């Protein structure tokens, strides 16, 4: 018998990839750079250290990565705190179904 379900929110419950594809180019533009889809996709699934390396190679060693990264995070967190993260299709129905079966969710 299944008694609980554990979910990873980033990319499983919420469509953070689409949101990032909107917010990262805006942050890059604020620092005088453009970010196309190909560059954004190179950043998917990599840690902050590798993101820094990729962007410094792309934009030059003078690119203010820390300020860029903070602006992106601030924008993302503002949306999250407002409860406006885009949900993956079927999320509400999935959660309702688990709750109806008495399955705990974490």
């Amino acid at each position: 018998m299944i008694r609980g379900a554990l979910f990873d929110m980033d990319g499983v419950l919420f469509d953070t990839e689409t949101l990032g594809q909107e917010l990262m180019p805006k942050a890059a533009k604020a620092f005088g750079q453009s970010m196309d889809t190909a560059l954004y996709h190179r950043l998917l699934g990599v840690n902050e250290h590798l993101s820094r390396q990729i962007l410094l190679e792309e934009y030059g060693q003078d690119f203010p990565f820390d300020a860029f990264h903070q602006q992106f995070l601030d924008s993302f967190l503002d949306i999250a705190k407002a409860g406006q993260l885009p949900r993956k299709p079927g999320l509400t129905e999935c959660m309702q179904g688990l709750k109806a079966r008495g399955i705990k969710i974490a």
Side-chain angles (χ1 to χ4, degrees), residues 42-88:
R42 287 177 57 202
L43 299 171
L44 290 177
V46 301
N47 62 28
E48 184 178 342
H49 176 76
L50 188 52
S51 293
R52 177 188 305 272
Q53 183 179 351
I54 291 168
L55 292 180
L56 292 179
E57 287 173 5
E58 184 71 25
Y59 297 144
Q61 294 300 310
D62 292 338
F63 179 69
F65 177 83
D66 292 327
F68 157 83
H69 190 247
Q70 191 61 54
Q71 182 164 332
F72 167 72
L73 289 177
D74 290 346
S75 298
F76 189 95
L77 290 174
D78 287 346
I79 291 169
K81 287 176 184 176
Q84 299 299 314
L85 289 175
R87 296 177 182 183
K88 287 286 196 167

Side-chain angles (χ1 to χ4, degrees), residues 83-100:
Q84 299 299 314
L85 289 175
R87 296 177 182 183
K88 287 286 196 167
L91 173 62
T92 301
E93 296 82 1
C94 176
M95 295 297 147
Q96 289 172 343
L98 291 170
K99 184 177 180 181

Side-chain angles (χ1 to χ4, degrees), residues 6-69:
L6 177 65
F7 292 95
D8 173 0
M9 294 173 28
D10 184 21
V12 176
L13 301 180
F14 299 105
D15 190 1
T16 53
E17 183 177 329
T18 300
L19 181 58
Q21 193 166 3
E22 175 188 334
L23 298 178
M24 272 199 191
K26 286 181 181 179
K29 186 175 182 178
F31 295 96
Q33 300 294 335
S34 63
M35 180 179 290
D36 62 16
T37 302
L39 178 55
Y40 174 71
H41 284 159
R42 287 177 57 202
L43 299 171
L44 290 177
V46 301
N47 62 28
E48 184 178 342
H49 176 76
L50 188 52
S51 293
R52 177 188 305 272
Q53 183 179 351
I54 291 168
L55 292 180
L56 292 179
E57 287 173 5
E58 184 71 25
Y59 297 144
Q61 294 300 310
D62 292 338
F63 179 69
F65 177 83
D66 292 327
F68 157 83
H69 190 247

